[in-house]
Structure formats: C-alpha cells, structure tokens
Amino acid sequence: MVQKLTKIFTFCSAHHLPGHIKCGNNHGHEWKLEVTLEGEVKNHMVIDFHEFNKIVNDKVLSKLDHRDLNDIFEYPSCEEIAKWVWDELLNSLGLSIWLYRIILWENQTSYTTYEGKN
C-alpha cells in the first residue's frame, strides 16, 4: 500500500532579492516548510517521524536556519529555495520512499509548491 506523509518544519532566516523594489533590502522571515513523502507502508509506516525529522534537519534546516540566505543562493526567492530543498532531500530517503511535494511558505499568505522529478 502506498501512502503520503507530510511533516511541517519552521526556520528563521534573512535574505534580500537584488534589484527587487520591495524586497531589495535585507529582511527576515519565519519560513514554514511542508515536506510530503510518498511511499510503501512497511511495518505500519512510510517512515518513522523521528527519522523524517532527522533527515530534514540534517540536510536542510541545519543549513538554512538563522542564516543569511544570500550567502547560499544567488537569488534566494521562495521558488529557488524550494527547488534547493527538493534537491537536498532527493537522495536522502530510502528506496521505497519518494519526494512528492515541497511547499515553502514565506509568510502566512504566500507560498510556492515544488513537485520535481524523483
């Protein structure tokens, strides 16, 4: 049986978007990251939430939390960060678990959805 599993994470970081009228100055966000996996249920789970948490913390949050995102990305837009998260997680999962979707919220009303290829 294949099921989807989602976990929500938050991190705080600063960025600016060079050349952007409103976001050209350095400013911060409390980002909300939703990671959805799809996988076969084995031993009653797709993946243990503790393991899920460890993977995302090690591969993503440890690199983004309390950082200036311009030190990591040329243009740290919500869209570019979501694709980067996908790429970071893509090969970090088990053989029977696939990335399904990344949703990255910049604030309470604005987000991007990324569904890349596995």
Side-chain angles (χ1 to χ4, degrees):
M1 170 175 43
V2 174
Q3 282 188 259
K4 292 175 183 67
L5 190 69
T6 301
K7 189 157 176 48
I8 297 172
F9 305 86
T10 58
F11 63 95
C12 296
S13 60
H15 73 151
H16 68 278
L17 302 178
H20 191 278
I21 294 171
K22 184 176 178 187
C23 300
N25 293 323
N26 210 32
H27 61 282
H29 296 283
E30 181 175 0
W31 303 83
K32 181 169 85 169
L33 172 64
E34 297 181 38
V35 179
T36 301
L37 305 178
E38 182 176 49
E40 295 183 32
V41 176
K42 294 182 178 179
N43 297 321
H44 311 287
M45 297 181 199
V46 172
I47 188 172
D48 182 272
F49 278 119
H50 180 74
E51 183 181 351
F52 192 173
N53 191 60
K54 182 175 179 356
I55 292 168
V56 174
N57 275 305
D58 291 350
K59 294 293 185 177
V60 175
L61 301 182
S62 66
K63 299 173 184 176
L64 300 182
D65 193 34
H66 286 80
R67 298 285 305 274
D68 182 338
L69 298 179
N70 291 82
D71 292 340
I72 302 168
F73 303 93
E74 182 178 335
Y75 198 87
S77 65
C78 196
E79 295 87 345
E80 291 295 323
I81 298 165
K83 182 187 180 313
W84 178 88
V85 169
W86 180 279
D87 292 343
E88 288 294 300
L89 293 175
L90 187 58
N91 296 314
S92 302
L93 306 167
L95 295 175
S96 62
I97 303 170
W98 308 274
L99 276 173
Y100 179 76
R101 177 177 51 228
I102 300 293
I103 299 176
L104 182 62
W105 293 79
E106 187 174 278
N107 57 47
Q108 291 180 336
T109 63
S110 305
Y111 67 90
T112 189
T113 301
Y114 187 81
E115 297 175 4
K117 296 185 179 188
N118 282 300

